[in-house]
């Protein structure tokens, strides 16, 4: 089925109303920091998609990046055994500089997340400090457990996955920074995606809205038939309607949802000296060697063996004493 193509004239009228409302709101308050107001495309489903936390990448005709936008990049540790992570920061900063990438404001290795940002308040402050978060695809699976709900609750700023080993790294990162993405939580009938900001021209905003609506309607479960409505809004205005479907949605068919298999991760743990800890897809935890093979028989010290033998003898003596009394 063809994706929804919003009429340009209709979108233009809605954007005109929205920008007028925005100017009126801005005249009523004084902003110390000159930051453009983001514009969101809001949409509702007729039937809630079954997929959980599905990410839709949306390519926009006009970049939504602006000069004062703060971008943070989460990267993999170069040496997971070392407590010093500044070497990792310098390595990736040099890599970005060599590729002519200047839009990254902060580089944060996994080690720093586990130490400097371990408390919940520190994670919450980090989440508010930056407008966009990128994450090396090699560590994306670790981040929900490290960052928690400060980053991964419904309205939080989910990190965008990037390939730091890409041949054209500059294009890889700029695509993530300049474009947008939408996360369908699968828990409600409404969702939203940032598609523009008030520093763009009206023509650019209209083009981005039309492109985003087309991509969303094409990518959701149930297709365009499952879109109930589209609205455009800013953070300080009401939602302006763009599209409304009067169909009941009874003919919307959702595909069977198959849960994605969890991946396995291997990492160092300070309490394990003889190997690494492997978290299996079924939740089981194993101690493995450097090649990933389970270490089934860990060496026991002589003192541990003596302590076990002593405890065993005491238990047997106690049982004999009870038997004799009875």
């Amino acid at each position: 089925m063809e994706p929804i193509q919003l009429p340009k004239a209709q979108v233009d009228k809605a954007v005109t109303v929205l920008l007028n409302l925005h100017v009126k709101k801005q005249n009523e308050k004084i902003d110390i920091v000159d930051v453009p107001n983001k514009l969101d495309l809001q949409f509702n489903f007729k039937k809630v998609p079954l997929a959980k936390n599905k990410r839709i990448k949306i390519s926009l005709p006009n970049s939504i990046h602006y000069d004062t936008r703060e971008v943070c990049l989460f990267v993999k540790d170069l040496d997971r055994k070392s407590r010093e992570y500044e070497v990792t920061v310098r390595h990736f900063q040099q890599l970005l500089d060599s590729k002519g990438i200047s839009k990254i404001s902060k580089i944060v290795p996994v080690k720093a997340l586990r130490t400097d940002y371990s408390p919940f308040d520190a994670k919450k402050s980090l989440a508010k400090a930056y407008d966009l978060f990128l994450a090396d695809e090699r560590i994306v699976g670790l981040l929900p457990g490290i960052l928690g709900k400060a980053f991964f609750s419904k309205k939080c700023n989910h990190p965008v996955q990037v390939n730091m080993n890409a041949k054209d790294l500059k294009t890889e990162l700029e695509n993530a920074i300049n474009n947008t993405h939408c996360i369908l939580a699968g828990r409600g009938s409404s969702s939203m995606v940032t598609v523009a900001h008030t520093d763009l021209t009206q023509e650019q905003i209209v083009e981005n809205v039309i492109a985003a609506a087309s991509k969303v309607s094409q990518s959701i479960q149930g297709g365009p038939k499952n879109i109930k409505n589209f609205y455009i809004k800013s953070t300080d205005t009401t939602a302006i309607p763009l599209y409304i479907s009067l169909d009941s949605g009874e003919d919307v068919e959702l595909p069977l949802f198959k849960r994605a298999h969890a991946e396995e991760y291997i990492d160092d743990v300070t309490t394990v000296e003889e190997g690494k800890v492997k978290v299996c897809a079924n939740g089981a935890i194993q101690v493995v060697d450097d090649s990933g093979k389970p270490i089934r028989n860990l060496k026991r010290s002589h003192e541990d063996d003596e302590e076990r033998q002593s405890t065993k003898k005491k238990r047997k003596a106690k049982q004999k004493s009870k038997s004799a009394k009875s």
Side-chain angles (χ1 to χ4, degrees):
M1 181 177 292
E2 292 293 324
I4 295 175
Q5 294 292 335
L6 299 178
K8 186 175 181 180
Q10 183 176 327
V11 176
D12 190 64
K13 289 180 181 179
V15 171
T16 299
V17 174
L18 181 69
L19 293 179
N20 289 337
L21 288 174
H22 170 70
V23 170
K24 184 178 180 180
K25 289 288 184 180
Q26 289 299 105
N27 292 334
E28 295 174 358
K29 63 181 182 179
I30 300 175
D31 287 334
I32 300 176
V33 182
D34 185 17
V35 177
N37 203 322
K38 68 177 184 176
L39 306 179
D40 297 321
L41 180 68
Q42 181 178 323
F43 51 96
N44 293 322
F45 309 107
K46 296 175 184 176
K47 291 184 179 180
V48 179
L50 302 177
K52 303 293 183 181
N53 297 322
K54 179 184 177 181
R55 186 186 298 270
I56 299 174
K57 293 184 178 181
I58 302 173
S59 296
L60 299 174
N62 304 288
S63 171
I64 60 172
H65 186 69
Y66 49 87
D67 292 339
T68 57
R69 193 181 188 203
E70 298 289 332
V71 181
C72 180
L73 172 63
F74 298 138
V75 297
K76 182 180 180 180
D77 295 313
L78 293 181
D79 184 359
R80 292 182 296 181
K81 295 182 179 180
S82 174
R83 294 185 178 182
E84 300 295 330
Y85 56 79
E86 290 300 328
V87 176
T88 300
V89 174
R90 288 195 296 269
H91 167 79
F92 281 100
Q93 187 60 62
Q94 291 172 0
L95 176 63
L96 297 179
D97 293 341
S98 67
K99 302 294 183 180
I101 303 169
S102 59
K103 296 179 181 179
I104 304 298
S105 310
K106 179 79 170 179
I107 298 174
V108 182
V110 173
K111 189 72 67 175
L113 293 177
R114 286 175 167 166
T115 53
D116 297 355
Y117 299 101
S118 178
F120 177 76
D121 289 342
K123 295 173 186 174
K124 195 172 181 180
S125 298
L126 178 64
K128 293 180 178 179
Y130 297 91
D131 302 295
L132 175 66
F133 292 91
L134 308 179
D136 188 334
E137 64 181 8
R138 294 171 293 182
I139 63 167
V140 166
L142 300 174
L143 293 181
I146 298 174
L147 297 173
K149 64 180 182 180
F151 277 80
F152 288 91
S153 62
K154 186 176 180 180
K155 295 183 179 181
C156 289
N157 203 351
H158 294 227
V160 178
Q161 178 177 317
V162 293
N163 179 12
M164 293 301 294
N165 287 327
K167 292 182 179 180
D168 191 349
L169 183 59
K170 185 174 183 178
T171 300
E172 174 76 9
L173 295 182
E174 287 189 345
N175 283 341
I177 293 172
N178 294 333
N179 294 302
T180 190
H181 67 281
C182 175
I183 296 179
L184 306 182
R187 293 188 293 270
S189 61
S190 178
S191 191
M192 191 163 54
V193 55
T194 299
V195 296
H197 56 73
T198 52
D199 275 1
L200 294 177
T201 66
Q202 181 163 335
E203 179 70 17
Q204 290 174 324
I205 295 172
V206 171
E207 290 174 353
N208 281 8
V209 169
I210 293 174
S214 176
K215 179 64 177 180
V216 166
S217 66
Q218 190 178 29
S219 303
I220 65 167
Q221 288 185 331
K225 287 185 177 180
N226 200 20
I227 293 290
K228 185 176 182 180
N229 50 50
F230 278 120
Y231 293 87
I232 185 172
K233 66 183 296 294
S234 72
T235 53
D236 57 2
T237 66
T238 56
I240 309 299
L242 296 170
Y243 168 87
I244 296 176
S245 173
L246 300 179
D247 294 338
S248 63
E250 292 181 358
D251 58 341
V252 174
E253 296 182 3
L254 299 181
L256 295 176
F257 172 64
K258 294 182 179 180
R259 186 177 297 276
H261 293 290
E263 297 181 12
E264 297 181 342
Y265 296 100
I266 299 177
D267 203 356
D268 295 310
V269 177
T270 55
T271 54
V272 177
E273 297 180 357
E274 299 185 42
K276 299 179 180 180
V277 169
K278 176 181 179 181
V279 181
C280 302
N282 61 2
I285 299 176
Q286 297 177 344
V287 177
V288 299
D289 58 21
D290 291 335
S291 65
K293 295 181 179 180
I295 302 175
R296 299 182 178 180
N297 299 317
L298 295 178
K299 296 180 181 179
R300 299 176 179 175
S301 66
H302 180 65
E303 290 79 5
D304 289 340
D305 288 337
E306 286 186 346
E307 185 176 353
R308 289 188 182 88
Q309 291 295 332
S310 176
T311 303
K312 190 175 181 179
K313 288 179 181 179
K314 289 179 181 179
R315 190 183 297 114
K316 287 184 178 180
K318 192 174 182 179
Q319 290 176 351
K320 288 182 179 179
S321 178
K322 287 183 178 181
S323 299
K325 288 182 180 179
S326 60

